[in-house]
Amino acid sequence: MAKSPFIESVRKELRTRQYSYRTEKTYLHWIRYFIRFNDYKHPDMMGNAEIERFLSHLAVNREVSAATQNLALCAIIFMYRHVVGREIEGLNYSYTRAPRNIPTVLDQEEVAKILAHMTGKYWLIAVLLYGCGLRLQEALSMRVKDIDFSLKSILVFRGKGRKDRYTLLPQSLVPRLQAQITYVEKRHAQDLVEGAGMTSVPSSLYRKYKGVMTDVAWQYLFPSTTLCRHPHDGYVCRHHIHATSFAKQLRKAVLKSGVKKRVTAHTFRHSFATRLLQKGTDIRTVQELLGHSDLKKTEIYTHVVGDRRAGTTSPADMLPGSKVEEAQASYV
C-alpha cells in the first residue's frame, strides 16, 4: 500500500525532534483518525471547526477519557505547528482537566500474596517495580549496564520526560539479578554465533554507539524471545519483552491471590512511594527516586498515608466496647 507523503512528513518531523517510537505511533494514529473523520481533507484545508468537531466526537460518541482527549489534541497541535506551519488559535476547546484520583496501593501482605503466584522473569519485574518505584516501561527497558552492584543503584536511562535518574537497588534481589544477567549472557552468545547480537536502541544512539551495540552490557535485562527488525533503521535486533506479556501474568497472579483491588503494574510504583513515606522517608527523596519534576505529583501519596491525619480517631472507634460488640452480634 502506497504511503501518504503527508503522513511521512509528520513521521520525519517526529523523528527529527527525537520523539520516542511509542509517541510516534500514537501521534500518527490520532492524525490519521482526524483526517479520516474529516473525509480525507488535507489538514491545510481545515481549521478550528474541524478540530472542534473531531474532539466533540471523541468526547460524546467515543466517550474517551480526559487523558485520551488531551493526547489527540496534542497530536493535532503538533501536526499544525511543525508540519503545516500554522498555529491553532482561538480554539473553542481546551485541554480537559483529568480528575484527581487517589492511587490504589497495596500493603506488604497484599504484595507478597501477588508475588507468590508469579515466577521467573515476571516475578523479578514485579519486585523491581515495587522495590525501585519503576514504571513498567523503565523496568522492561533496563539494560545490563544500568545495574551497579558496587554502588547499590540502578540507572533509569531516559525515563519519562527523557530524564535520567538513579534509584535503589534492593540487596535482596542481587542473586536473582545476577542469575538473570547470566541468562542474558548465554542468550547473547548464541545470538552472536548465529550472526545476530544487535540490541535495539533509538536512532540517535544507533548512529553514535553502533560499534558497541553487540556488547553484552547493552543487552536488555529482559530480552524478547524472538528477533525483530528495527522500525527506524532496519537492522535485525533483539528487543525487550512486551508490556502486555507482563500484564497478562500479573492479571493471573492477582486473580489467584484473592486481592480485592484493581492492580496494574503502576500499582507497585504507587505502593513503593506510599511505603517509603510511611517509614518516614523525606518526600524530596521520594520525589527524586520516582523521577517527578513537580513535588505536587509526589504529594498525592500523602493522601493515602494514614499518619497525615495526625492521629485522628474515627467516632466509631470511640464507642464503648459493649455497644460495638452488641452491634456486631446483631449484624451477624
Side-chain angles (χ1 to χ4, degrees), residues 104-120 122-127 129-130 246-269 271:
T104 299
V105 299
L106 304 169
D107 60 30
Q108 293 279 76
E109 184 178 349
E110 290 170 328
V111 172
K113 285 181 178 179
I114 294 172
L115 292 177
H117 295 283
M118 303 187 79
T119 58
Y122 298 110
W123 178 92
L124 183 55
I125 293 170
V127 181
L129 297 178
Y130 179 63
F246 174 80
K248 290 177 182 177
Q249 296 298 321
L250 176 60
R251 176 61 179 162
K252 292 178 183 178
V254 172
L255 290 174
K256 291 179 181 178
S257 71
V259 173
K260 306 301 182 185
K261 293 180 179 178
R262 180 180 178 273
V263 179
T264 66
H266 218 64
T267 306
F268 290 112
R269 177 174 161 88
S271 304

Side-chain angles (χ1 to χ4, degrees), residues 44-57:
D44 196 29
M45 305 299 293
M46 296 188 283
N48 289 24
E50 288 81 4
I51 297 173
E52 291 165 5
R53 192 162 63 93
F54 176 65
L55 295 174
S56 295
H57 164 73

